[in-house]
């Protein structure tokens, strides 16, 4: 049995916003995610409300064990962010499956460009088809804070 098979049997991925454990998501990101350390709960709740959100849940207990959110126009562009897998569920293929589900859900709408930023999970995203920017000189950023 592959990691993906085990992940499919044990975990359910859902975009149902009513299932999200906001407190748990905030705790994960604000205390254990290098990109969101110290993020306030109010900030996180606003980010959730303005995004397409995904949770991965243990089928036996209903416990949320992973999270990702997408900022998208549902037509051509998506920014994947705040991807987090609980430490107890890492190494089981759950992160790869979560990102694959997101990609596959948005593809039929015509989303053809997905972006993300990561310091340490390039291998996870490469499994789903992400690669470094081919022409980084075309991209720009405006940081205001």
């Amino acid at each position: 049995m592959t990691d993906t098979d085990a992940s499919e049997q044990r975990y359910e991925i859902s975009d149902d916003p009513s299932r999200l454990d906001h407190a748990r998501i905030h705790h994960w990101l604000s205390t254990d995610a290098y990109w969101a350390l110290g993020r306030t709960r109010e900030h996180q709740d606003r980010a959730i409300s303005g995004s397409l959100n995904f949770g991965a849940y243990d089928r036996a207990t209903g416990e949320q064990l992973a999270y990702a959110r997408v900022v998208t126009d549902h037509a051509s562009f998506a920014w994947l962010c705040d991807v987090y897998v609980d430490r107890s569920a890492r190494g089981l293929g759950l992160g790869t499956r979560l990102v694959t589900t997101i990609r596959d859900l948005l593809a039929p709408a015509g989303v053809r460009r997905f972006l993300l930023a990561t310091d340490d999970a390039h291998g996870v995203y490469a499994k789903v088809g992400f690669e470094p920017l081919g022409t980084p000189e075309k991209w720009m950023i405006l940081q205001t804070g």
Side-chain angles (χ1 to χ4, degrees), residues 11 13 27 29 47-48 72 103:
Y11 304 108
I13 296 175
H27 176 75
L29 297 177
I48 288 171
T72 183
R103 179 201 65 198

Side-chain angles (χ1 to χ4, degrees), residues 111-131:
V111 174
R112 59 184 197 79
R113 179 169 290 131
F114 289 81
L115 291 177
L116 65 85
T118 183
D119 280 349
D120 59 358
H122 295 79
V124 171
Y125 299 110
K127 292 176 188 176
V128 183
F130 283 87
E131 55 190 42

Side-chain angles (χ1 to χ4, degrees), residues 39-72:
R39 185 180 287 175
T40 67
R41 172 68 188 267
E42 187 268 336
H43 181 109
Q44 185 61 49
D45 286 344
R46 280 189 294 124
I48 288 171
S49 71
S51 302
L52 177 60
N53 300 276
F54 294 82
Y57 305 88
D58 186 298
R59 289 185 190 275
T61 66
E63 178 183 19
Q64 185 173 350
L65 292 171
Y67 172 73
R69 73 183 177 91
V70 180
V71 180
T72 183

